[in-house]
């Protein structure tokens, strides 16, 4: 994997979350709720910062959430396998169970926060999606109730439950799209909890996951700034549109750019961007390579 060199003039970073909100473990439910609220308030500011490639950020978080969901389902596929399934499978070919989980998360973060936008969710009735999106309450408590309700109705629908819980959280916060947090902070044991125990687990999960999401946002903002800086040097036809694609998706194979340029030109562009230090080759392979910010 190529390692990005440190930019000479890195993009300005936002303030770090307060240390007391991210260090250690909450001693009681009240402290856990307070920490989660502080982490979400900080993340809200990071989410709206100038220069953040927000579609790419959500896509990366969706891949993290998909890996967690795969683990919850008892499977062992990780980042590499999910990336391959999502980026290298031809249209119409089966993705496999893990790939389907990845596709569900990727679709969820690009769709409006409405019942129509999120439907279908695997294993969950459309009326349950509508009911849970209409639920009221404080953001994390609302998400915990949604998670509990979906798993009570469909115990094996972990992926759908986590997507809908993150949707409930995002809707309560006034966001226009899902930002995957709960799947990235919960453990398999947490999904077996209910009531106050599940609500506490969700507060703790958000307090863990939100600072990690904020850190990823800062990193992607710096990397996007560097990519924008070198974009004017690119002379290939379709290069500007290719750059926008890299700013919106976790990883791309050169073949994904062939509607913009020839296959050879797409490979040369990817290698050029790696040589300029603004893209990484993510697989370490000699063939079937994937590239991303």
């Amino acid at each position: 994997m190529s390692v990005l060199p440190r930019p000479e003039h890195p993009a300005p970073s936002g303030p770090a979350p307060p240390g007391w909100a991210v260090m250690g473990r909450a001693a009681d439910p009240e402290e856990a709720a307070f920490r989660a609220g502080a982490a979400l308030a900080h993340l809200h500011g990071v989410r709206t910062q100038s220069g953040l490639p927000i579609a790419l950020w959500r896509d990366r978080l969706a891949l993290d959430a998909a890996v967690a969901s795969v683990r919850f389902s008892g499977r062992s596929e990780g980042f590499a396998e999910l990336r391959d399934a999502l980026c290298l499978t031809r249209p119409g070919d089966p993705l496999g169970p893990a790939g389907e989980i990845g596709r569900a998360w990727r679709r969820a973060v690009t769709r409006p926060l409405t019942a129509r936008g999120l439907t279908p969710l695997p294993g969950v009735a459309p009326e349950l999606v509508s009911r849970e999106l209409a639920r009221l309450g404080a953001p994390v408590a609302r998400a915990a109730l949604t998670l509990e309700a979906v798993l009570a109705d469909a115990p094996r629908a972990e992926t759908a439950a986590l997507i809908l819980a993150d949707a409930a959280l995002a809707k309560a916060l006034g966001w226009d799209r899902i930002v995957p947090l709960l799947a990235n902070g919960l453990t398999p044991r947490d999904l077996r909890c209910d009531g106050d125990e599940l609500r506490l687990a969700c507060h703790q999960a958000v307090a863990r996951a939100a600072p990690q999401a904020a850190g990823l946002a800062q990193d992607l903002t710096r990397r996007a700034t560097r990519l924008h800086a070198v974009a004017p040097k690119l002379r290939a036809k379709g290069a500007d549109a290719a750059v926008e694609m890299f700013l919106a998706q976790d990883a791309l194979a050169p073949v994904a750019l062939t509607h913009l340029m020839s296959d050879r030109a797409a490979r040369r562009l990817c290698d050029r961007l790696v040589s300029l230090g603004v893209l990484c080759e993510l697989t370490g392979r000699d063939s079937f390579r994937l590239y991303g910010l």
Side-chain angles (χ1 to χ4, degrees), residues 80-108:
E81 292 86 356
L82 280 173
R83 274 186 172 137
D84 281 355
L86 293 172
C87 299
L88 299 177
T89 304
R90 293 177 298 182
D93 286 351
L95 290 174
E100 291 293 348
I101 289 173
R103 180 159 63 183
W105 272 107
R106 172 167 280 182
R107 180 183 183 276

Side-chain angles (χ1 to χ4, degrees), residues 67-86:
V67 171
S69 295
V70 167
R71 186 176 71 251
F72 293 148
S73 72
R75 302 187 64 86
S76 60
E77 290 90 340
F79 288 96
E81 292 86 356
L82 280 173
R83 274 186 172 137
D84 281 355
L86 293 172

Side-chain angles (χ1 to χ4, degrees), residues 27-242:
D28 53 52
E30 185 178 71
E31 183 183 351
F34 191 62
R35 288 188 180 206
L40 286 172
H42 176 257
L43 184 63
H44 183 78
V46 170
R47 176 184 165 276
T48 57
Q49 70 184 5
S50 175
L52 171 64
I54 193 165
L56 170 58
W57 180 55
R58 287 193 297 252
D59 201 41
R60 281 275 170 90
L61 291 172
L63 181 62
D64 288 338
V67 171
S69 295
V70 167
R71 186 176 71 251
F72 293 148
S73 72
R75 302 187 64 86
S76 60
E77 290 90 340
F79 288 96
E81 292 86 356
L82 280 173
R83 274 186 172 137
D84 281 355
L86 293 172
C87 299
L88 299 177
T89 304
R90 293 177 298 182
D93 286 351
L95 290 174
E100 291 293 348
I101 289 173
R103 180 159 63 183
W105 272 107
R106 172 167 280 182
R107 180 183 183 276
V109 299
T110 63
R111 302 287 293 172
L113 276 176
T114 63
R116 183 176 181 181
L118 293 177
T119 304
L121 280 176
V124 173
E127 55 269 22
L128 183 59
V129 177
S130 299
R131 187 190 76 195
E132 292 305 319
L133 285 179
R135 187 185 288 277
L136 301 177
V140 181
R142 179 173 165 178
L145 287 169
T146 291
L147 184 58
E148 183 175 357
V150 176
L151 289 176
D153 186 76
R156 297 180 63 85
E158 295 98 342
T159 298
L162 289 162
I163 288 173
L164 198 50
D166 268 325
L169 178 65
K171 192 173 180 69
L173 292 167
W175 296 348
D176 62 342
R177 295 288 189 277
I178 290 174
V179 175
L181 294 175
L182 287 166
N184 296 334
L186 290 168
T187 68
R189 179 189 177 279
D190 292 332
L191 295 190
R192 297 193 293 271
C193 299
D194 57 18
D196 290 345
E197 191 177 4
L198 178 60
R199 185 162 57 251
L200 173 60
C202 286
H203 278 112
Q204 292 171 335
V206 167
R208 284 192 297 267
Q212 293 172 357
L216 175 63
Q218 300 290 6
D219 181 54
L220 291 177
T221 299
R222 289 190 290 269
R223 292 173 184 248
T225 297
R226 188 169 178 85
L227 178 55
H228 280 302
V230 305
K233 302 177 184 178
L234 305 174
R235 296 289 179 255
K237 179 183 178 182
D240 288 346

